[in-house]
Amino acid sequence: MKSALSNAARRPGARSALGLTLGLAAATFACSVMAEEAAPAAAPELTSNVGVVSEYVFRGIRQTWGNPALQGGFDYAHASGFYVGTWLSNTSANLYANANVEIDIYGGYRGAVGDFAYDVGVLQFIFPKANYDKITPAGSYASKTYDTTELYLSGTWQWLNVKYSRAITDVGYFGFTSNNAGFGAFPNKPNAGVTGKDTNGSWYIEANIAYEFLPTWTATLHAGRQTIAHSKGLDYSDYKVGVTKAMPGSWTLGLAYTATAGADYWKNYPSLAGNGTTKDMNASTWIASVNRVF
């Protein structure tokens, strides 16, 4: 992208005007380092979450090559407002060379002033053993990991949440550099690519709405804009709309529709695993989910 304390999680990008997306509700909102806010707990609390989605989509980009994903994590919230957590999901080596899993580790501080809740923290995306030098054929690109660190600032008032995330490492936008994502690197848009040395300073801004229109039924909307620093033609917008249903036993069912604008360089994206397949990573798609918080 992307647990209740998380931010939904994760990555790739393209370009277009700011849009309206929907937050896949509990599973996406709850299981991804990027979404919903709450005031500090009255006492220390350890929670966990587990879920299954028909496809893992992060910031509008499909992460599992059209396949389902098993996701889950743990969150610890202290009475002071500080919290830490981790979240995991399977991913695809077709998109991240030699990757099978994404691990997100995050921590921050959450508080409230009246009806306004705020959250500030840091999020580390980790893709164990994944590296651009593993792209088939091996050695085609210089060594560079996909691991990315972002700072985030979020504010929530009633049903409206706004969040800003910014990359602070030279890895920038998930390892994009002029070496591996320069002009000509994207078959469907050869005039787009990284123009500087790296993409440090890339940022993502999003607005999320979660409104309970009937008891246990919540409508969600999401609009996000990904800006990739030191690049041309790679910025894009993503949108999502959906609904969730709270079930007995802390289960939540969700259905969402996600789309992008300006991310056409992700069309006909060739597998980095060298199996000859391609995928429209930016294609609009439905996402079904089931999630439980313990």
Side-chain angles (χ1 to χ4, degrees):
M1 182 78 263
K2 122 210 189 134
S3 65
L5 291 179
S6 316
N7 310 44
R10 301 198 351 90
R11 288 129 245 288
R15 179 202 170 85
S16 181
L18 174 60
L20 237 247
T21 104
L22 111 206
L24 181 154
T28 300
F29 265 17
C31 274
S32 211
V33 164
M34 288 162 226
E36 210 172 342
E37 312 294 330
E45 182 180 14
L46 178 65
T47 60
S48 61
N49 61 85
V50 64
V52 177
V53 293
S54 57
E55 185 167 4
Y56 175 21
V57 177
F58 172 72
R59 295 180 184 173
I61 306 301
R62 305 165 72 179
Q63 304 293 304
T64 46
W65 213 250
N67 297 312
L70 176 63
Q71 304 173 331
F74 297 90
D75 295 290
Y76 175 78
H78 191 265
S80 64
F82 288 99
Y83 65 89
V84 294
T86 186
W87 181 85
L88 296 85
S89 175
N90 60 284
T91 185
S92 175
N94 293 305
L95 181 61
Y96 302 102
N98 203 44
N100 295 305
V101 65
E102 172 192 338
I103 303 173
D104 299 344
I105 299 175
Y106 51 91
Y109 180 82
R110 188 175 281 139
V113 179
D115 291 336
F116 178 78
Y118 59 89
D119 183 7
V120 58
V122 59
L123 165 64
Q124 175 70 52
F125 300 98
I126 302 172
F127 301 88
K129 298 183 179 180
N131 196 296
Y132 280 89
D133 65 7
K134 298 295 194 298
I135 293 176
T136 303
S140 301
Y141 297 98
S143 176
K144 176 67 69 173
T145 70
Y146 295 88
D147 301 351
T148 299
T149 305
E150 291 184 348
L151 297 179
Y152 57 86
L153 175 63
S154 175
T156 301
W157 178 78
Q158 295 185 7
W159 39 262
L160 175 64
N161 165 261
V162 176
K163 182 178 180 180
Y164 175 79
S165 303
R166 187 180 184 89
I168 59 171
T169 58
D170 63 350
V171 175
Y173 183 75
F174 302 95
F176 272 25
T177 68
S178 57
N179 173 262
N180 56 47
F183 293 106
F186 302 94
N188 200 59
K189 196 172 183 180
N191 61 339
V194 176
T195 58
K197 180 181 178 181
D198 56 45
T199 51
N200 182 27
S202 297
W203 53 271
Y204 183 76
I205 190 167
E206 62 187 288
N208 303 290
I209 292 175
Y211 183 76
E212 187 178 60
F213 60 95
L214 288 174
T216 72
W217 289 89
T218 300
T220 58
L221 290 172
H222 162 85
R225 176 69 171 176
Q226 177 70 64
T227 297
I228 300 176
H230 316 130
S231 73
K232 176 184 177 182
L234 298 184
D235 301 345
Y236 72 101
S237 301
D238 71 288
Y239 315 87
K240 203 188 321 184
V241 59
V243 63
T244 62
K245 166 65 174 175
M247 305 294 289
S250 298
W251 289 94
T252 301
L253 304 179
L255 181 65
Y257 184 76
T258 181
T260 63
D264 49 313
Y265 61 93
W266 287 109
K267 290 183 64 176
N268 300 316
Y269 193 75
S271 167
L272 302 185
N275 56 29
T277 62
T278 63
K279 184 73 66 175
D280 289 346
M281 305 307 297
N282 64 324
S284 302
T285 186
W286 287 95
I287 307 170
S289 66
V290 57
N291 172 264
R292 187 182 182 186
V293 177
F294 299 88

